[in-house]
Amino acid sequence: MEETELFLLLFSAISVAILMWRAMKRERKFQKVPPGRMGWPFVGETLAYLKPHPSTSMGEFMEQHISRYGKIFVSNLFGEPTIVSADLGLNKFILQNEGKLFESSYPKSIEGILGKWSMLVLVGDMHRNMRILSLNFMSNTKLRVHLLHEIEKHTLLVLGAWREKQVFSAKEEAKKFTFNLMAENIVSMKPGKPETESLKREYITFMKGVISAPINLPGTSYRRALQSRKTILGVLEMKMEEKKMRTNGREPEIEEEEDFLGWVMKQSDLSSEQILDLILSLLFAGHETSTVAITMAMYFLDGCPRAIEQLQEEHMGIAREKREKGESSGLNWEDYKRMEFTHSVINETLRLGNVVQFVHRKALCNVQFKGYDIPRGWKVLPVFAAVHLDPLNHHKPHHFNPWRWQDSNNSSNFMPFGGGPRLCAGADLAKLEMAIFIHHLVLNFTWEVTEPDIPTAFPFIDFPKGLPITVHRLSSNTTSTILERETTATGS
Ligand code: HEM
Ligand SMILES: *[C@@H]1O[C@H](CO)[C@@H](O)[C@H](O)[C@H]1NC(C)=O
Ligand SMILES: *[C@@H]1O[C@H](CO)[C@@H](O)[C@H](O)[C@H]1NC(C)=O
Ligand SMILES: *[C@@H]1O[C@H](CO)[C@@H](O)[C@H](O)[C@H]1NC(C)=O
Ligand SMILES: *[C@@H]1O[C@H](CO)[C@@H](O)[C@H](O)[C@H]1NC(C)=O
Ligand SMILES: *[C@@H]1O[C@H](CO)[C@@H](O)[C@H](O)[C@H]1NC(C)=O
């Protein structure tokens, strides 16, 4: 771009921003918008809002604003006037009224990378269609009869390669597990094959773009991610072509377990472009978040030996009973349902870890809530993390305490998967993944974190060092000691 062009562009952007800012100030006079401040024109308070902080805290920005203005306040974020909500009631109200009073509204940069047909950015009927397709892939029946075994298979594949006293990144291992699972079930790509490995690497570059500033200039993360998007689409397109050739081909092949791509191609009337965006974003949504969630579980458990002991007891009990019944076919749905304490650990991990800190919405009309006006067109950010870490909702919120879930009937103040018509389509799958992974993990290994590393909100969550751990294989001697402990505990 010419220098003068760049200057003109910058100049007009700033003028527009100042005009918008003035308009916003004027508008506020006539309405009772929540308290807060707009900060600088255009950038507003975005930089302060995005400042990295431990994901187990709500961050300085939220803490300061909440103490100054209350749980609902106004700010200027991502270049738009924004209502930020740390209020449980408002968060629920926003999510439940999707498509009526509010609507998903992600920054343009996300659309550039995930694609205009990705579920995160779609609204209305098209969103509903795609959602129904995705829910079908992860339906309860599919989970019970097919995905559970797939999850166990991929868990064993990863854990089976661990060696005594080996030091490695827990996050990398978790990613192998979740990515292999998704790649095999969505596009039939087998673990360990070069094409699978290179796709996994491509997604790392891709991820960096999703979260970076949307500056499309040579050398930026955003530019590289756009390139990655093309590469990934290329791979997926090839998979699609292969399938078309096979179905048009001479003889129908032996019935094999159909992957999601094949099913969507048959069942829906989506265009190729739409299918590609759907598959690309499902692969993405399906491994980034659950990788972090599993890594977090290992991180929190490392600091809570009592919880590990109780997990070992629970899972050894399940394993022993299966042995006694002569079942050798791997875990089934009944076993999963028996993992009660494990479910408490999963909930507590998601509450304290805050894998998704907040979501992006905008108001479709002027909305009133608790005496405040939310003007039409304004951005609205329900911040789940702030609710999860609020002492009024959760006693001693900064403590990892899985036992808090045992006799509580108020899990309604907990929404790690969002809610309403856009509730995470993979919520049940993610919980199943975590539970099965934990089952084999605590049965066979102990681990310790070898270098301090904390889950950090950038605002996407990452372990900067990948959480380095050392593992120790439990000998059958240790196993029998634990079994004995469990037998005496339940026997007395
Ligand atoms: C612990 C892991 C996970 C967490 C914390 C999580 C969280 C979320 C959240 C908060 C949303 C809502 C976004 C919004 O409202 O704007 C969402 C949406 C979604 N998630 Fe997950 N997710 C997880 C795992 C998964 C997995 C394993 C899949 C499987 C493919 C998945 C697929 C999706 C899809 C397709 C959507 C879009 C739903 C829609 O718009 O209707 N997620 N997730
Ligand atoms: C875990 O230990 C059990 C026996 O205690 C064994 O059958 C299983 O293969 C082990 N799994 C892994 C991943 O090492
Ligand atoms: C975990 O949270 C969910 C709500 O997301 C709740 O339905 C479930 O009962 C909780 N599990 C436990 C063990 O408390
Ligand atoms: C349930 O609510 C009470 C009080 O509001 C809180 O002390 C407790 O920690 C909550 N339990 C859970 C699991 O959120
Ligand atoms: C559930 O919680 C409500 C208020 O939060 C309380 O009145 C009720 O007794 C609780 N029920 C049980 C079974 O704990
Ligand atoms: C297991 O325990 C027995 C006796 O308690 C001991 O003789 C044996 O060496 C132990 N084996 C291992 C592998 O530690």
Side-chain angles (χ1 to χ4, degrees):
M1 208 187 304
E2 291 287 319
E3 227 169 73
T4 43
E5 248 180 272
L6 194 68
F7 174 77
L8 277 177
L9 199 74
L10 213 66
F11 180 76
S12 44
I14 291 173
S15 332
V16 168
I18 290 174
L19 284 177
M20 266 173 54
W21 185 59
R22 284 210 183 128
M24 265 150 45
K25 283 203 139 176
R26 223 174 15 251
E27 200 167 355
R28 286 183 60 184
K29 288 205 187 96
F30 303 105
Q31 288 170 315
K32 193 174 179 312
V33 300
R37 62 196 199 96
M38 290 297 186
W40 295 95
F42 205 63
V43 283
E45 300 186 293
T46 312
L47 298 180
Y49 182 72
L50 294 181
K51 189 166 165 223
H53 57 86
S55 80
T56 53
S57 78
M58 58 179 100
E60 226 174 87
F61 176 90
M62 287 302 290
E63 272 161 18
Q64 285 175 355
H65 281 65
I66 290 171
S67 70
R68 198 173 303 160
Y69 304 117
K71 288 184 190 172
I72 304 174
F73 59 88
V74 66
S75 180
N76 176 4
L77 301 175
F78 308 103
E80 294 185 68
T82 303
I83 309 274
V84 181
S85 166
D87 182 279
L88 175 66
L90 179 53
N91 287 1
K92 284 190 181 171
F93 181 73
I94 295 166
L95 296 178
Q96 299 300 333
N97 284 290
E98 173 76 16
K100 293 176 223 144
L101 307 178
F102 301 93
E103 188 173 84
S104 176
S105 172
Y106 280 83
K108 266 272 178 254
S109 55
I110 301 264
E111 185 177 323
I113 295 195
L114 287 179
K116 64 172 185 282
W117 300 108
S118 99
M119 280 178 71
L120 213 54
V121 300
L122 282 177
V123 294
D125 287 345
M126 200 59 216
H127 170 257
R128 222 182 32 247
N129 291 346
M130 295 267 199
R131 182 175 171 83
I132 290 169
L133 290 173
S134 312
L135 286 176
N136 187 290
F137 167 59
M138 296 172 270
S139 71
N140 190 272
T141 335
K142 289 254 171 59
L143 287 176
R144 283 166 191 248
V145 303
H146 176 63
L147 288 172
L148 194 149
H149 300 296
E150 284 291 303
I151 292 171
E152 186 166 27
K153 181 180 89 184
H154 284 286
T155 300
L156 293 175
L157 199 65
V158 169
L159 296 186
W162 287 8
R163 297 289 166 257
E164 176 65 20
K165 295 228 178 85
Q166 204 181 349
V167 180
F168 47 69
S169 153
K171 192 189 140 199
E172 281 313 307
E173 297 299 305
K175 179 171 255 164
K176 271 186 212 163
F177 162 55
T178 61
F179 188 80
N180 288 346
L181 175 72
M182 285 295 123
E184 181 154 13
N185 286 281
I186 295 179
V187 284
S188 296
M189 288 172 80
K190 301 280 179 223
K193 278 206 173 175
E195 59 165 13
T196 318
E197 291 305 306
S198 76
L199 190 66
K200 185 165 77 194
R201 277 194 303 274
E202 211 57 63
Y203 263 104
I204 297 172
T205 321
F206 182 81
M207 172 70 178
K208 286 187 187 142
V210 172
I211 46 98
S212 68
I215 305 164
N216 189 4
L217 289 174
T220 60
S221 306
Y222 191 71
R223 170 69 70 90
R224 276 197 295 272
L226 288 175
Q227 192 53 49
S228 264
R229 170 178 162 80
K230 279 201 200 119
T231 311
I232 294 170
L233 286 179
V235 175
L236 300 179
E237 211 169 347
M238 209 175 64
K239 293 280 149 197
M240 236 168 128
E241 289 307 317
E242 279 173 17
K243 275 191 201 302
K244 276 187 198 150
M245 301 243 288
R246 224 174 294 153
T247 40
N248 298 339
R250 314 132 319 244
E251 274 174 53
E253 292 199 11
I254 324 127
E255 275 297 312
E256 52 174 45
E257 192 64 56
E258 192 174 38
D259 60 26
F260 181 63
L261 174 62
W263 182 80
V264 171
M265 284 169 63
K266 257 192 242 158
Q267 294 298 316
S268 72
D269 46 16
L270 299 179
S271 70
S272 296
E273 193 197 355
Q274 291 169 333
I275 294 181
L276 288 175
D277 274 357
L278 172 65
I279 299 289
L280 174 137
S281 51
L282 212 55
L283 269 171
F284 176 69
H287 85 282
E288 278 295 345
T289 43
S290 40
T291 294
V292 170
I294 289 168
T295 314
M296 271 181 185
M298 295 179 74
Y299 167 79
F300 289 132
L301 287 170
D302 176 64
C304 190
R306 200 155 70 87
I308 295 191
E309 263 175 38
Q310 195 165 333
L311 282 173
Q312 284 173 331
E313 282 165 16
E314 178 162 288
H315 291 284
M316 284 183 183
I318 292 169
R320 189 191 45 194
E321 201 165 287
K322 287 180 81 67
R323 254 200 316 279
E324 283 167 4
K325 281 199 268 175
E327 286 180 21
S328 55
S329 55
L331 293 166
N332 58 39
W333 196 255
E334 281 65 51
D335 300 328
Y336 173 58
K337 283 294 154 194
R338 281 186 55 200
M339 302 177 182
E340 274 177 44
F341 182 66
T342 309
H343 281 108
S344 298
V345 168
I346 292 172
N347 277 7
E348 186 64 353
T349 299
L350 296 174
R351 181 194 68 79
L352 183 54
N354 295 297
V355 178
V356 175
Q357 302 261 311
F358 64 95
V359 292
H360 290 263
R361 297 291 187 269
K362 73 173 180 218
L364 291 174
C365 47
N366 291 323
V367 180
Q368 289 201 316
F369 189 86
K370 285 190 182 168
Y372 288 132
D373 285 315
I374 301 174
R376 183 166 70 93
W378 281 33
K379 284 283 300 269
V380 185
L381 302 183
V383 184
F384 307 141
V387 175
H388 293 167
L389 300 169
D390 181 345
L392 289 179
N393 294 324
H394 303 275
H395 183 59
K396 290 200 186 157
H398 294 284
H399 283 234
F400 180 77
N401 173 13
W403 295 276
R404 75 170 80 234
W405 294 93
Q406 279 180 342
D407 35 37
S408 111
N409 67 356
N410 54 357
S411 59
S412 64
N413 52 23
F414 167 65
M415 36 203 338
F417 297 107
R422 304 187 84 96
L423 175 76
C424 174
D428 290 336
L429 173 63
K431 286 190 270 191
L432 189 60
E433 285 177 41
M434 291 177 79
I436 305 299
F437 192 87
I438 288 175
H439 174 84
H440 288 290
L441 176 68
V442 301
L443 275 183
N444 291 284
F445 297 97
T446 58
W447 67 97
E448 70 232 21
V449 174
T450 48
E451 254 185 87
D453 197 11
I454 52 171
T456 309
F458 286 104
F460 72 98
I461 311 301
D462 198 16
F463 284 85
K465 297 177 190 157
L467 193 66
I469 57 167
T470 318
V471 296
H472 305 282
R473 191 172 271 282
L474 288 172
S475 68
S476 45
N477 271 16
T478 334
T479 313
S480 44
T481 318
I482 295 165
L483 266 178
E484 246 163 56
R485 195 174 68 207
E486 195 238 351
T487 320
T488 43
T490 48
S492 59

